[in-house]
Short mmCIF file of all heavy atoms in Angstrom, two decimals:
data_model
loop_
_atom_site.label_atom_id
_atom_site.label_comp_id
_atom_site.label_asym_id
_atom_site.label_seq_id
_atom_site.Cartn_x
_atom_site.Cartn_y
_atom_site.Cartn_z
N ALA G 96 -55.17 -15.91 44.62
CA ALA G 96 -55.05 -16.56 45.89
C ALA G 96 -56.42 -16.94 46.45
O ALA G 96 -56.66 -17.97 47.05
CB ALA G 96 -54.33 -15.63 46.91
N LEU G 97 -57.40 -16.01 46.26
CA LEU G 97 -58.78 -16.25 46.69
C LEU G 97 -59.37 -17.46 45.93
O LEU G 97 -59.94 -18.35 46.54
CB LEU G 97 -59.64 -15.06 46.54
CG LEU G 97 -61.12 -15.25 46.80
CD1 LEU G 97 -61.36 -15.63 48.22
CD2 LEU G 97 -61.94 -13.93 46.51
N GLN G 98 -59.15 -17.50 44.68
CA GLN G 98 -59.75 -18.50 43.84
C GLN G 98 -59.13 -19.86 44.13
O GLN G 98 -59.85 -20.92 44.14
CB GLN G 98 -59.52 -18.20 42.27
CG GLN G 98 -60.43 -17.04 41.83
CD GLN G 98 -59.98 -16.53 40.41
OE1 GLN G 98 -59.06 -17.05 39.83
NE2 GLN G 98 -60.73 -15.61 39.99
N GLN G 99 -57.77 -19.88 44.43
CA GLN G 99 -57.18 -21.08 44.82
C GLN G 99 -57.73 -21.68 46.10
O GLN G 99 -58.02 -22.84 46.25
CB GLN G 99 -55.61 -20.88 45.03
CG GLN G 99 -54.94 -22.17 45.40
CD GLN G 99 -53.46 -21.95 45.61
OE1 GLN G 99 -52.98 -20.84 45.56
NE2 GLN G 99 -52.69 -23.04 45.79
N MET G 100 -57.96 -20.76 47.08
CA MET G 100 -58.52 -21.23 48.40
C MET G 100 -59.95 -21.67 48.21
O MET G 100 -60.41 -22.61 48.81
CB MET G 100 -58.46 -20.16 49.45
CG MET G 100 -58.88 -20.57 50.86
SD MET G 100 -58.04 -22.05 51.48
CE MET G 100 -56.38 -21.35 51.71
N GLN G 101 -60.75 -20.99 47.39
CA GLN G 101 -62.09 -21.37 47.11
C GLN G 101 -62.19 -22.78 46.50
O GLN G 101 -63.12 -23.53 46.82
CB GLN G 101 -62.78 -20.37 46.12
CG GLN G 101 -63.11 -19.07 46.72
CD GLN G 101 -63.51 -18.01 45.58
OE1 GLN G 101 -63.06 -18.14 44.46
NE2 GLN G 101 -64.26 -17.08 45.95
N SER G 102 -61.16 -23.16 45.72
CA SER G 102 -61.15 -24.49 45.14
C SER G 102 -60.74 -25.67 46.19
O SER G 102 -60.95 -26.76 45.92
CB SER G 102 -60.22 -24.64 43.96
OG SER G 102 -58.88 -24.52 44.39
N GLN G 103 -60.20 -25.17 47.33
CA GLN G 103 -59.71 -26.17 48.39
C GLN G 103 -60.64 -26.39 49.43
O GLN G 103 -60.45 -27.36 50.18
CB GLN G 103 -58.38 -25.72 48.78
CG GLN G 103 -57.30 -25.73 47.78
CD GLN G 103 -55.95 -25.25 48.28
OE1 GLN G 103 -55.75 -24.08 48.53
NE2 GLN G 103 -54.98 -26.16 48.45
N VAL G 104 -61.65 -25.50 49.69
CA VAL G 104 -62.49 -25.71 50.83
C VAL G 104 -63.53 -26.75 50.50
O VAL G 104 -63.87 -27.07 49.39
CB VAL G 104 -63.18 -24.36 51.29
CG1 VAL G 104 -62.16 -23.41 51.73
CG2 VAL G 104 -64.05 -23.76 50.11
N ASP G 105 -64.16 -27.38 51.55
CA ASP G 105 -65.15 -28.35 51.42
C ASP G 105 -66.53 -27.72 51.07
O ASP G 105 -67.40 -28.35 50.55
CB ASP G 105 -65.27 -29.19 52.71
CG ASP G 105 -64.00 -29.87 53.05
OD1 ASP G 105 -63.64 -30.76 52.23
OD2 ASP G 105 -63.33 -29.52 54.00
N TYR G 106 -66.68 -26.48 51.55
CA TYR G 106 -68.00 -25.80 51.25
C TYR G 106 -67.69 -24.33 50.94
O TYR G 106 -66.86 -23.67 51.57
CB TYR G 106 -68.98 -25.85 52.46
CG TYR G 106 -70.14 -25.00 52.29
CD1 TYR G 106 -71.22 -25.46 51.56
CD2 TYR G 106 -70.23 -23.70 52.85
CE1 TYR G 106 -72.32 -24.65 51.37
CE2 TYR G 106 -71.29 -22.96 52.68
CZ TYR G 106 -72.42 -23.48 51.88
OH TYR G 106 -73.51 -22.61 51.73
N LEU G 107 -68.30 -23.82 49.85
CA LEU G 107 -68.16 -22.46 49.42
C LEU G 107 -69.60 -21.92 49.28
O LEU G 107 -70.37 -22.49 48.43
CB LEU G 107 -67.35 -22.32 48.14
CG LEU G 107 -67.27 -20.90 47.52
CD1 LEU G 107 -66.51 -19.98 48.47
CD2 LEU G 107 -66.58 -21.00 46.18
N GLY G 108 -69.96 -20.95 50.04
CA GLY G 108 -71.30 -20.40 49.96
C GLY G 108 -71.26 -18.90 49.84
O GLY G 108 -70.26 -18.21 50.28
N THR G 109 -72.31 -18.27 49.32
CA THR G 109 -72.46 -16.85 49.25
C THR G 109 -73.71 -16.42 49.81
O THR G 109 -74.79 -16.99 49.38
CB THR G 109 -72.36 -16.39 47.76
OG1 THR G 109 -71.07 -16.83 47.22
CG2 THR G 109 -72.34 -14.85 47.66
N LEU G 110 -73.78 -15.64 50.79
CA LEU G 110 -74.97 -15.24 51.56
C LEU G 110 -75.91 -14.36 50.65
O LEU G 110 -77.03 -14.76 50.45
CB LEU G 110 -74.62 -14.52 52.86
CG LEU G 110 -75.74 -14.46 53.84
CD1 LEU G 110 -76.31 -15.73 54.22
CD2 LEU G 110 -75.24 -13.72 55.10
N SER G 111 -75.39 -13.27 50.22
CA SER G 111 -76.26 -12.41 49.38
C SER G 111 -75.97 -12.65 47.92
O SER G 111 -74.81 -12.65 47.51
CB SER G 111 -76.01 -10.95 49.74
OG SER G 111 -76.65 -10.08 48.77
N GLN G 112 -76.95 -12.80 47.06
CA GLN G 112 -76.72 -13.03 45.67
C GLN G 112 -76.62 -11.79 44.84
O GLN G 112 -76.74 -11.79 43.66
CB GLN G 112 -77.89 -13.88 45.14
CG GLN G 112 -77.93 -15.28 45.78
CD GLN G 112 -76.56 -16.01 45.75
OE1 GLN G 112 -75.98 -16.15 44.66
NE2 GLN G 112 -76.08 -16.47 46.89
N GLN G 113 -76.44 -10.58 45.56
CA GLN G 113 -76.26 -9.36 44.96
C GLN G 113 -74.79 -8.95 45.23
O GLN G 113 -74.19 -9.21 46.20
CB GLN G 113 -77.10 -8.30 45.54
CG GLN G 113 -78.61 -8.62 45.47
CD GLN G 113 -79.03 -8.46 43.96
OE1 GLN G 113 -78.55 -7.66 43.25
NE2 GLN G 113 -79.89 -9.45 43.59
N PRO G 114 -74.19 -8.06 44.27
CA PRO G 114 -72.85 -7.52 44.67
C PRO G 114 -73.00 -6.60 45.89
O PRO G 114 -74.15 -6.37 46.33
CB PRO G 114 -72.49 -6.71 43.39
CG PRO G 114 -73.54 -7.00 42.37
CD PRO G 114 -74.69 -7.72 43.07
N TYR G 115 -71.87 -6.04 46.29
CA TYR G 115 -71.96 -5.18 47.55
C TYR G 115 -72.95 -3.99 47.30
O TYR G 115 -72.83 -3.23 46.36
CB TYR G 115 -70.57 -4.65 47.90
CG TYR G 115 -70.60 -3.83 49.14
CD1 TYR G 115 -70.80 -4.42 50.39
CD2 TYR G 115 -70.50 -2.43 49.09
CE1 TYR G 115 -70.83 -3.65 51.52
CE2 TYR G 115 -70.53 -1.65 50.23
CZ TYR G 115 -70.73 -2.27 51.45
OH TYR G 115 -70.75 -1.50 52.59
N GLN G 116 -73.96 -3.88 48.24
CA GLN G 116 -74.94 -2.85 48.25
C GLN G 116 -74.81 -1.85 49.35
O GLN G 116 -75.18 -0.75 49.21
CB GLN G 116 -76.29 -3.48 48.22
CG GLN G 116 -76.58 -4.47 47.16
CD GLN G 116 -76.71 -3.91 45.79
OE1 GLN G 116 -77.42 -2.91 45.62
NE2 GLN G 116 -75.99 -4.55 44.87
N GLY G 117 -74.24 -2.34 50.48
CA GLY G 117 -74.08 -1.47 51.62
C GLY G 117 -73.86 -2.32 52.85
O GLY G 117 -73.80 -3.51 52.86
N PRO G 118 -73.66 -1.64 54.03
CA PRO G 118 -73.28 -2.28 55.26
C PRO G 118 -74.30 -3.27 55.84
O PRO G 118 -73.96 -4.21 56.58
CB PRO G 118 -73.07 -1.16 56.29
CG PRO G 118 -73.65 0.05 55.61
CD PRO G 118 -73.76 -0.20 54.17
N GLN G 119 -75.50 -3.27 55.44
CA GLN G 119 -76.56 -4.22 55.85
C GLN G 119 -76.14 -5.60 55.46
O GLN G 119 -76.37 -6.60 56.18
CB GLN G 119 -77.95 -3.95 55.34
CG GLN G 119 -78.99 -4.79 55.92
CD GLN G 119 -79.02 -4.79 57.49
OE1 GLN G 119 -79.03 -3.64 58.07
NE2 GLN G 119 -79.08 -5.93 58.07
N GLN G 120 -75.47 -5.77 54.28
CA GLN G 120 -75.03 -7.07 53.82
C GLN G 120 -73.95 -7.63 54.77
O GLN G 120 -74.01 -8.90 55.11
CB GLN G 120 -74.50 -7.03 52.41
CG GLN G 120 -75.55 -6.87 51.37
CD GLN G 120 -74.89 -6.61 50.02
OE1 GLN G 120 -74.14 -5.66 49.90
NE2 GLN G 120 -75.23 -7.41 49.04
N LEU G 121 -73.13 -6.81 55.33
CA LEU G 121 -72.08 -7.22 56.27
C LEU G 121 -72.74 -7.56 57.59
O LEU G 121 -72.23 -8.53 58.27
CB LEU G 121 -71.01 -6.12 56.34
CG LEU G 121 -70.31 -5.73 55.00
CD1 LEU G 121 -69.34 -4.63 55.25
CD2 LEU G 121 -69.68 -6.99 54.45
N ARG G 122 -73.76 -6.80 58.07
CA ARG G 122 -74.41 -7.16 59.27
C ARG G 122 -75.10 -8.53 59.13
O ARG G 122 -75.19 -9.28 60.07
CB ARG G 122 -75.39 -6.09 59.67
CG ARG G 122 -74.66 -4.80 60.20
CD ARG G 122 -75.58 -3.78 60.76
NE ARG G 122 -76.35 -3.09 59.80
CZ ARG G 122 -75.95 -1.99 59.23
NH1 ARG G 122 -74.78 -1.46 59.43
NH2 ARG G 122 -76.77 -1.38 58.31
#
Side-chain angles (χ1 to χ4, degrees):
L97 173 61
Q98 290 169 357
Q99 180 182 8
M100 186 55 69
Q101 288 170 331
S102 71
Q103 293 179 290
V104 296
D105 300 295
Y106 173 79
L107 174 64
T109 303
L110 194 57
S111 170
Q112 297 308 308
Q113 300 293 323
Y115 181 72
Q116 305 289 311
Q119 185 59 47
Q120 287 170 303
L121 301 177
R122 288 190 286 273

